[in-house]
């Protein structure tokens, strides 16, 4: 979300810069128009002043010639009067004139007529210059009004640019803050991943230890069961032997008590005794070690007696005094391992869910971008080739992680075929169409093209330059080229030259400034 907001902010800033650039272009055009209008007005003023001066001079000449003509007429009249007095009338009834004076008179009259005609023509030219001057003033007024409006728009745009700059700085600060948060989140993620890896390693080690302990426990339990079975067998045998001895002893005491004194004498007791039973027990205890040294009797105890003793043994069972502590320790360790296993399984499930979600998101974005790129590629292909069609297809649509992209193109007048079957120029133009489609779908701040138009002819160069111009509002292109058609569409030119001192220099030229300078020189040249 932070990245999307940052991209939106960058888009707003780019649009604002483009708007400011358009307004500055409009300001430059208005200033150029204003300068042209001022130059035209100055030229019209100079022409009007020259016409006025020439008209004034012609008026003075005409007045001088009219005065001279009047004086010549008066002299001619005086001469005619004098001739009338001296000579008689001729056949026509008028005086004879000197041919030289008549020719001079006609010459002066013709000169006067020419001057009058020239005066009328200059008057018409003066009226035309006056009309052009009024039109120039009108255009100047309109230009000044347009310049004022453009200046107002520029001021408003500068205010908007200042606000957008402030907004851009705020967004940059927010972006830096979000970048810090993203970095912190990435650090936390890395730490969590490291901890997860450590937990996985520890879990693997614990699993190995647990497997080893379980195997050892199994072997120990097997040995313990074997030992317990042996111990139970020994205890059973011991109990059976003790019970047999007790039974034999009781039976012997009973039999000796039945015998009375004879029994006492058989045990080595001489003389009378007060307590016969106690005496028998003491005598029997004294004789038991002697009898133990002799071989045991071959007769076994009764089967019922042995079965009863075995039932009592199984009812009592074997006692382990450390069983509670061992069970508590093993149970605590098992609970810890089970809790860690549950945490690891939950983390694995969450990670797998996140991976599935990311894969779904990547697949959706890839499909959307691929559809947009396919449509834009077809449009750019038609624009650059002047017709035909082109399409993109996935080699493995079911597996977007391993899929490839195939390009099928049909230039005008040819059949559809793969990219490898096209000619060199067609492949270059198809690659340019794909590049422009990518820039249209995912704009970038700038793009460097190195001799991309080397294989294109004049017609394709025109369409290539038109496509470049259509994308120049959102991407700044730096084109390395030797083609004249591409150079003519550039806004600024940069080149390297070597002077007489054999030192390389970088020269630059902005075509708008050069065009404005050429127009100014063209306007100034007639006036000079």
């Amino acid at each position: 979300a932070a990245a999307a907001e940052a991209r939106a902010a960058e888009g707003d800033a780019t649009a604002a810069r483009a708007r400011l650039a358009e307004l500055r272009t409009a300001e430059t055009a208005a200033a150029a128009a204003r300068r042209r209008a001022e130059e035209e007005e100055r030229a019209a003023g100079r022409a009007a002043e020259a016409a006025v001066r020439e008209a004034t001079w012609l008026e003075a000449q005409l007045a001088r010639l009219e005065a001279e003509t009047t004086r010549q007429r008066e002299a001619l009249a005086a001469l005619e009067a004098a001739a009338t007095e001296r000579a008689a009338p001729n056949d026509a009834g008028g005086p004879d004139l000197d041919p030289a004076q008549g020719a001079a008179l006609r010459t002066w009259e013709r000169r006067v007529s020419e001057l009058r005609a020239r005066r009328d023509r200059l008057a018409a030219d003066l009226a035309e210059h006056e009309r052009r001057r009024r039109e120039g003033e009108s255009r100047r007024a309109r230009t000044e009004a347009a310049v004022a409006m453009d200046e107002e728009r520029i001021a408003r745009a500068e205010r908007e640019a200042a606000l957008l700059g402030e907004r851009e700085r705020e967004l940059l600060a927010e972006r830096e803050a979000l970048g810090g948060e993203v970095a912190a989140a990435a650090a936390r993620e890395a730490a969590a991943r490291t901890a997860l890896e450590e937990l996985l390693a520890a879990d693997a080690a614990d699993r190995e230890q647990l497997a080893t302990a379980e195997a050892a426990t199994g072997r120990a339990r097997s040995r313990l069961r074997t030992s317990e079975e042996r111990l139970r067998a020994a205890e059973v045998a011991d109990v059976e032997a003790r019970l047999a001895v007790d039974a034999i002893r009781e039976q012997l005491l009973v039999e000796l008590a039945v015998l009375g004194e004879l029994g006492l004498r058989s045990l080595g007791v001489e003389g009378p005794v007060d307590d016969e039973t106690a005496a028998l027990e003491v005598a029997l205890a004294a004789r038991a070690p002697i009898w133990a040294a002799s071989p045991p009797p071959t007769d076994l105890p009764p089967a019922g007696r042995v079965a009863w003793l075995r039932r009592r043994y199984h009812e009592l069972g074997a006692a382990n005094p450390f069983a509670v502590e061992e069970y508590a320790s093993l149970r605590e360790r098992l609970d810890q391992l089970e809790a860690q296993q549950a945490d690891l399984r939950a983390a694995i499930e969450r990670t797998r869910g996140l991976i599935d979600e990311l894969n779904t998101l990547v697949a959706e974005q890839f499909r959307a971008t691929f559809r947009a790129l396919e449509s834009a590629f077809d449009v750019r292909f038609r624009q650059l080739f002047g017709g035909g069609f082109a399409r993109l297809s996935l080699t493995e649509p079911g597996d977007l992680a391993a899929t490839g992209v195939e390009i099928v193109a049909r230039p005008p007048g040819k059949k559809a075929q793969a990219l490898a079957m096209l000619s060199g120029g067609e492949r270059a133009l198809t690659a340019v169409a794909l590049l422009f489609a990518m820039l249209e779908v995912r704009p970038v701040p700038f793009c460097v093209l190195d001799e991309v138009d080397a294989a294109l002819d004049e017609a394709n160069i025109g369409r290539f330059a038109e496509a470049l111009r259509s994308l120049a509002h959102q991407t700044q292109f730096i084109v390395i080229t030797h083609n004249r058609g591409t150079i003519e569409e550039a806004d600024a030119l940069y080149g390297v030259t070597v002077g007489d001192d054999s030192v390389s220099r970088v020269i630059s030229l902005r075509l708008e400034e050069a065009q404005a300078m050429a127009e100014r020189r063209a306007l100034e040249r007639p006036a000079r």
Side-chain angles (χ1 to χ4, degrees):
E5 186 176 355
R7 287 195 297 271
E10 290 179 356
D12 294 339
T14 304
R17 294 192 189 97
R19 178 60 179 166
L20 181 60
E22 291 176 358
L23 291 175
R24 286 179 177 172
T25 304
E27 179 189 10
T28 304
R34 180 178 180 180
R35 288 193 296 272
R36 286 196 298 271
E38 290 177 353
E39 292 293 337
E40 290 178 358
E41 182 182 1
R42 286 194 294 269
R46 288 193 295 269
E49 290 176 359
V52 169
R53 288 195 299 270
E54 188 174 0
T56 303
W57 180 78
L58 289 175
E59 288 287 344
Q61 290 292 103
L62 183 59
R64 185 178 62 77
L65 290 175
E66 286 180 350
E68 186 68 22
T69 303
T70 303
R71 188 168 59 254
Q72 292 292 337
R73 286 181 181 277
E74 290 176 357
L76 181 59
L79 290 173
E80 287 178 354
T84 301
E85 292 177 0
R86 289 193 304 267
N90 56 11
D91 295 338
D96 292 334
L97 298 177
D98 189 0
Q101 292 179 352
L105 181 60
R106 286 190 297 272
T107 302
W108 284 109
E109 287 178 352
R110 187 169 60 253
R111 179 62 175 169
V112 168
S113 299
E114 292 176 356
L115 290 175
R116 285 177 179 172
R118 189 173 180 183
R119 183 191 64 182
D120 295 337
R121 187 169 61 255
L122 289 175
D125 293 341
L126 181 60
E128 179 65 21
H129 284 297
E130 185 66 22
R131 183 183 63 80
R132 290 176 60 186
R133 186 181 64 81
R134 288 195 297 271
E135 290 180 355
E137 290 179 352
S138 177
R139 286 197 302 271
R140 179 182 179 182
R142 289 195 299 271
T143 304
E144 289 179 350
V147 169
M149 294 175 63
D150 291 338
E151 289 178 351
E152 182 180 356
R153 287 201 301 271
I154 290 169
R156 186 167 61 252
E158 288 179 351
R159 291 193 296 271
E160 293 178 357
L163 294 176
L164 289 174
E166 184 66 26
R167 175 61 177 167
E168 182 180 6
R169 287 191 293 273
E170 293 177 358
L171 290 175
L172 288 175
E174 186 176 357
R175 180 181 179 183
E176 292 178 356
L178 292 174
E181 294 179 1
V182 169
R188 290 196 298 271
E189 181 183 2
R193 185 178 292 107
T194 304
L196 178 60
E197 292 176 354
E198 293 177 355
L199 287 176
L200 290 175
D203 178 65
D206 291 340
R207 285 178 182 275
E208 292 178 357
Q209 293 179 1
L210 180 60
T212 305
E214 288 179 351
T217 303
R219 291 192 297 271
R221 285 179 179 177
S222 178
R223 291 195 300 272
L224 180 61
R225 283 193 298 269
T226 304
S227 300
E228 287 178 351
E229 289 176 358
R230 293 176 180 176
L231 180 61
R232 282 195 296 270
E235 289 178 353
V236 168
D238 185 38
V239 171
E240 289 177 352
R242 288 180 181 181
L243 290 176
V245 171
D246 291 340
I248 293 171
R249 186 172 179 278
E250 291 177 358
Q251 185 178 4
L252 182 59
L253 287 175
V254 171
E255 292 177 354
L256 290 174
V258 172
L259 293 175
E261 292 180 1
L262 181 59
L264 291 173
R265 283 195 303 272
S266 63
L267 293 176
V269 178
E270 299 293 338
V273 293
D274 296 332
D275 190 355
E276 185 178 351
T277 302
L280 287 173
E281 291 180 354
V282 172
L284 185 60
R287 297 292 296 181
I290 299 173
W291 292 345
S294 63
T298 58
D299 296 334
L300 297 177
R305 180 71 175 175
V306 174
W308 177 75
L309 291 174
R310 287 178 178 173
R311 282 197 301 271
R312 287 193 62 190
Y313 173 77
H314 287 298
E315 288 175 357
L316 292 175
N320 184 7
F322 302 103
V324 177
E325 290 80 359
E326 292 178 358
Y327 173 78
S329 176
L330 291 176
R331 185 64 184 176
E332 182 179 1
R333 180 60 178 168
L334 181 61
D335 291 339
Q336 291 178 357
L337 293 176
E338 288 179 350
Q340 293 178 2
Q341 181 183 13
D343 293 339
L344 290 174
R345 291 184 182 277
I348 291 171
E349 292 298 328
R350 289 195 299 270
T351 305
R352 288 176 178 173
L354 181 59
I355 291 172
D356 295 337
E357 182 179 357
L358 289 175
N359 290 334
T360 303
L361 180 61
V362 168
E364 292 177 354
Q365 292 183 355
F366 177 80
R367 289 192 180 94
T369 305
F370 182 77
R371 287 193 294 269
L373 179 61
E374 184 177 11
S375 177
F377 175 56
D378 184 45
V379 173
R380 290 294 176 182
F381 184 87
R382 294 174 187 272
Q383 178 186 7
L384 292 177
F385 279 87
F389 72 88
R391 67 174 181 268
L392 300 175
S393 60
L394 299 177
T395 58
E396 297 181 9
D399 188 4
L400 297 181
T403 185
V405 179
E406 291 183 351
I407 300 176
V408 178
R410 187 182 69 80
K414 295 186 178 181
K415 64 179 181 180
Q417 50 191 345
L419 182 64
M421 303 300 294
L422 299 176
S423 64
E426 290 172 344
R427 284 200 299 269
L429 204 58
T430 303
V432 170
L434 181 59
L435 174 62
F436 285 170
M438 290 179 181
L439 293 176
E440 183 178 356
V441 173
R442 287 289 185 269
V444 296
F446 65 92
C447 178
V448 180
L449 303 178
D450 187 2
E451 296 292 347
V452 175
D453 55 352
L456 304 182
D457 54 10
E458 292 296 331
N460 292 330
I461 283 295
R463 291 192 287 268
F464 172 74
E466 182 181 354
L468 273 179
R469 180 61 63 184
S470 65
L471 292 173
H473 68 282
Q474 61 185 8
T475 301
Q476 182 180 6
F477 287 96
I478 302 172
V479 183
I480 302 172
T481 181
H482 294 86
N483 197 295
R484 185 185 301 274
T486 306
I487 294 174
E488 290 176 354
E489 293 293 330
D491 296 329
L493 302 178
Y494 297 90
V496 179
T497 182
V498 178
D500 296 336
D501 53 356
S502 300
V503 177
S504 299
R505 295 182 179 86
V506 178
I507 59 174
S508 62
L509 175 64
R510 292 192 174 272
L511 298 184
E512 292 182 357
E513 298 177 357
Q515 185 176 3
M517 187 181 299
E519 291 177 355
R520 287 197 302 271
R521 290 181 178 177
L523 292 174
E524 293 174 357
R525 190 177 295 114
R528 293 178 180 177

